[in-house]
Amino acid sequence: MKQNALTRHGLNFENLACFPADFAGQNLREILERNSGYDSAADTLFIAEGILMYLTPAKVAELFDSVRQACRAQCHFAFTVMEPAKDGSLFFHNANPMVNLWLRLKNEPFYWGMAPENLPAFLNANGFKLLEIATEKTFRELYLPKNLQNSPSAKGEYVCVAQRA
């Protein structure tokens, strides 16, 4: 779907490659080895948007390890993280109850999340350093145009950018 959307909008780039993957059952290194569009010698930005919350902690650590080892040049990793509630549960904090019901009916449980203040230590332990955290508020202030400042957005998920240490 993402590749089709890029094509529809004329956003085809020679240095952009999209690969289908199921990180719950596949390893990123194996996926990259099977796809000739990836160049491990090139500076690389990996993006995992809306993925990590569906992985177990062990699979998240495996993905970070794979990203760290996959690139011989400069490596950045942008990803979204669910922020646990005070009781440790993971959900969109401002979601309509129907959203949570729909996720349960679709069998889409969230397994991994992390509070923003714990992310630097997690990244350091996994060979990365934190460059930026964009919470719902900072994302809104820094990246949304003025006419979208009051648009509804998901609370409880934030965007992070890290660089391989």
Side-chain angles (χ1 to χ4, degrees):
M1 286 180 10
K2 291 178 183 180
Q3 188 68 53
N4 288 339
L6 292 168
T7 300
R8 258 193 335 270
H9 295 286
L11 300 172
N12 293 319
F13 303 98
E14 288 181 24
N15 66 341
L16 174 65
C18 297
F19 304 126
D22 175 4
F23 292 119
Q26 295 177 293
N27 181 286
L28 176 64
R29 285 177 288 195
E30 295 166 1
I31 294 165
L32 293 175
E33 288 170 2
R34 288 193 308 264
N35 289 279
S36 62
Y38 178 68
D39 179 2
S40 65
D43 292 349
T44 303
L45 168 64
F46 290 92
I47 302 172
E49 188 273 326
I51 294 173
L52 300 183
M53 69 270 248
Y54 294 110
L55 301 178
T56 64
K59 287 292 185 180
V60 171
E62 179 182 295
L63 182 58
F64 273 86
D65 184 56
S66 293
V67 167
R68 193 182 77 253
Q69 292 183 30
C71 186
R72 295 190 317 259
Q74 193 172 80
C75 179
H76 288 83
F77 193 10
F79 54 94
T80 54
V81 180
M82 295 296 293
E83 181 175 13
K86 290 184 186 353
D87 67 0
S89 60
L90 297 169
F91 58 93
F92 294 107
H93 298 190
N94 63 336
N96 178 306
M98 294 305 292
V99 171
N100 295 326
L101 175 62
W102 183 84
L103 288 168
R104 278 195 304 278
L105 291 173
K106 291 292 188 178
N107 193 27
E108 291 200 21
F110 296 153
Y111 294 111
W112 185 82
M114 183 166 292
E117 62 270 15
N118 297 331
L119 196 59
F122 169 82
L123 290 170
N124 186 50
N126 285 280
F128 287 85
K129 70 176 183 174
L130 178 66
L131 297 180
E132 182 174 12
I133 295 177
T135 63
E136 181 269 340
K137 180 183 177 196
T138 56
F139 189 80
R140 182 181 300 281
E141 291 172 357
L142 295 174
Y143 300 109
L144 287 182
K146 295 279 187 227
N147 64 328
L148 296 176
Q149 289 290 315
N150 295 319
S151 300
S153 61
K155 294 185 178 170
E157 183 178 33
Y158 54 96
V159 180
C160 298
V161 179
Q163 180 178 5
R164 184 180 56 208

